Amino acid sequence: MVEINSYDDLVAAANEAAQRFAAKIDSAISVNELMEIEPGIKGKKSAFVEFRKFLGRLEPDERPSAGAIVQEIVSNLNQAFDTKFQALKEIERKISLQEDRLDLTEVIAGLAGSPVGMRGKLHPVTQAREKLEDTFLGMGFSVEEGPEIETDWFNFEALNIPPSHPARGMWDTFYLDIGEPETILLRTHTSPVQVRVMMTQKPPIYSVMPGRCFRRDTPDARHLAVFHQIEGLVIDKGITFASLAGTIDRFTTAYFGPNIHARLRPAYFPFTEPSAEFEINCTICEGHGCRTCSNTGWIELGGCGMVDPNVFLAVGIDPEEWSGFAFGFGIDRLVQMRYSLPDIRVLIENDLRHSMSSRYN
Ligand code: DAH
């Protein structure tokens, strides 16, 4: 900055700064660019603060007019800045509205010349659930459903998880304020439907049970508090662990195609013994290793095992005569895998820009 030693210097410098900043305001083409100019005009270290300080060093009779000049320049610049800010903000708002615009009346052309286009599609989780049901129906299973609001007995006790059993910690439960405390809850898994099926049907049983589940989990990239599972239950004579392994592998290949296989790893669940976790080849890299599967080539899908005799006893099935296996896994997680979604929460965001995407066909 030129040195200021007199009234004339001050007025010249203030006018020069006024012109310089007016030109900058004029040429700014974005709110960001404008904000970079702001400290020079309004900031504590702006030239105008210096000018004001210099007023004190002028002769007393020069001060009022110099002060008025500086004041007018500052208020003109402030006004020009604010006007430009509003204008740029409005332009940017219009551009972003335009960019985010979705034509909800758009009709996508129908298949092979069919006059009827597709106006929307089912949620990817619904699509996955339907495909899973079809796959199991094709393998001779029936599809059953149970209530989302359950009693403690169905959700835990009949599944060999008595009150105060440490395994209850595996499921962070939403209890409802109905009846005795902690007796009615939002089901934490679809396993209670197994119990309902065993109590209402006589073996042999070949069933899958899809549905919504609830846990007091904080949602993150891989968890939702409201999610979907599909449960499987087979009870017959002579069912062994090999039947379980074979069924899971058959299902995996039927659902994902010939390149994807399943493997079992020892685990613990109170309602099955022995228990296992089942993993499939990562469907994104087909087992070669990628970011999604942390380069292991495998992705955990769910739990399974041979139905524990205590569960049979709770529902009145003779474990000497019948044996069976059960499994359960998360459908949302499957969808996350299928579409390589880095964050599972996009499934519940209701952001039409995601759901209109052709990825979710
Ligand atoms: N219900 C279990 C869960 O939500 C998953 C599961 C494990 C289901 C083993 C089963 C089973 O049927 O046998 O974590």
Side-chain angles (χ1 to χ4, degrees):
M1 203 194 303
V2 247
E3 212 178 312
I4 301 172
N5 291 313
S6 66
Y7 176 93
D8 287 344
D9 288 351
L10 176 65
V11 173
N15 277 326
E16 184 278 324
Q19 272 175 20
R20 196 156 35 90
F21 280 107
K24 281 188 182 179
I25 293 173
D26 214 37
S27 65
I29 54 165
S30 71
V31 170
N32 274 349
E33 199 184 321
L34 192 65
M35 292 318 285
E36 282 172 19
I37 308 170
E38 191 186 28
I41 300 171
K42 306 189 180 199
K44 285 193 185 119
K45 290 187 183 148
S46 85
F48 301 100
V49 173
E50 292 304 314
F51 298 155
R52 283 205 182 95
K53 275 192 202 152
F54 186 76
L55 290 175
R57 288 168 48 199
L58 290 177
E59 295 302 323
D61 62 335
E62 293 172 334
R63 282 180 207 158
S65 101
I69 291 172
V70 172
Q71 188 50 41
E72 195 186 336
I73 287 174
V74 169
S75 78
N76 283 346
L77 280 179
N78 274 335
Q79 205 182 10
F81 181 93
D82 294 344
T83 311
K84 183 75 183 241
F85 179 82
Q86 290 307 335
L88 286 175
K89 230 174 117 175
E90 183 57 21
I91 290 172
E92 290 185 5
R93 197 181 70 92
K94 282 201 176 129
I95 292 173
S96 112
L97 280 179
Q98 191 60 30
E99 279 173 353
D100 288 351
R101 192 170 154 266
L102 293 170
D103 182 0
L104 300 180
T105 62
E106 183 185 28
V107 177
I108 300 160
L111 283 175
S114 120
V116 184
M118 266 177 38
R119 276 177 185 259
K121 30 187 141 19
L122 295 173
H123 191 282
V125 171
T126 311
Q127 293 180 35
R129 173 183 168 153
E130 290 186 346
K131 193 169 170 216
L132 288 164
E133 289 176 5
D134 282 352
T135 309
F136 280 109
L137 281 167
M139 291 167 69
F141 285 64
S142 69
V143 178
E144 310 286 346
E145 284 190 353
E148 293 175 350
I149 296 177
E150 263 299 4
T151 63
D152 178 273
W153 191 83
F154 279 103
N155 196 82
F156 290 126
E157 244 177 283
L159 291 164
N160 201 26
I161 319 171
S164 79
H165 191 290
R168 285 204 180 200
M170 288 163 80
W171 296 276
D172 289 322
T173 315
F174 284 119
Y175 288 97
L176 298 182
D177 207 1
I178 301 175
E180 290 291 304
E182 304 201 352
T183 52
I184 309 286
L185 46 85
L186 295 178
R187 67 178 175 199
T188 58
H189 49 181
T190 41
S191 301
V193 193
Q194 280 185 39
V195 180
R196 291 183 175 274
V197 168
M198 285 188 273
M199 289 176 75
T200 50
Q201 298 182 21
K202 288 204 176 340
I205 295 171
Y206 290 78
S207 281
V208 285
M209 298 141 260
R212 223 159 34 145
C213 307
F214 309 82
R215 285 189 203 169
R216 236 178 48 212
D217 273 342
T218 308
D220 63 23
R222 281 155 40 86
H223 297 90
L224 296 173
V226 179
F227 57 99
H228 301 78
Q229 287 190 334
I230 185 162
E231 193 81 10
L233 177 70
V234 167
I235 301 177
D236 208 335
K237 295 197 168 146
I239 295 290
T240 65
F241 201 86
S243 330
L244 163 62
T247 304
I248 286 189
D249 199 55
R250 272 286 281 285
F251 150 73
T252 307
T253 306
Y255 184 78
F256 292 104
N259 296 334
I260 304 295
H261 294 282
R263 75 174 181 186
L264 300 176
R265 296 207 310 173
Y268 170 75
F269 295 100
F271 32 95
T272 41
E273 180 60 33
S275 304
E277 267 164 6
F278 69 95
E279 298 182 333
I280 58 165
N281 300 127
C282 176
T283 54
I284 293 160
C285 60
E286 297 200 337
H288 298 297
C290 68
R291 242 186 34 206
T292 311
C293 61
S294 313
N295 278 316
T296 61
W298 295 93
I299 292 277
E300 188 199 320
L301 263 199
C304 60
M306 302 304 292
V307 179
D308 193 289
N310 282 340
V311 176
F312 279 143
L313 292 175
V315 296
I317 291 180
D318 181 1
E320 298 297 326
E321 189 182 352
W322 303 98
S323 60
F325 66 78
F327 58 83
F329 57 86
I331 303 179
D332 314 70
R333 194 63 75 67
L334 205 73
V335 170
Q336 180 177 26
M337 282 288 316
R338 161 117 201 259
Y339 299 104
S340 320
L341 303 175
D343 194 316
I344 199 166
R345 288 170 290 192
V346 298
L347 292 176
I348 52 165
E349 264 173 3
N350 262 349
D351 185 334
L352 284 177
R353 285 167 303 184
H354 290 305
S355 50
M356 300 286 276
S357 154
S358 57
R359 297 171 74 194
Y360 299 108
N361 271 317

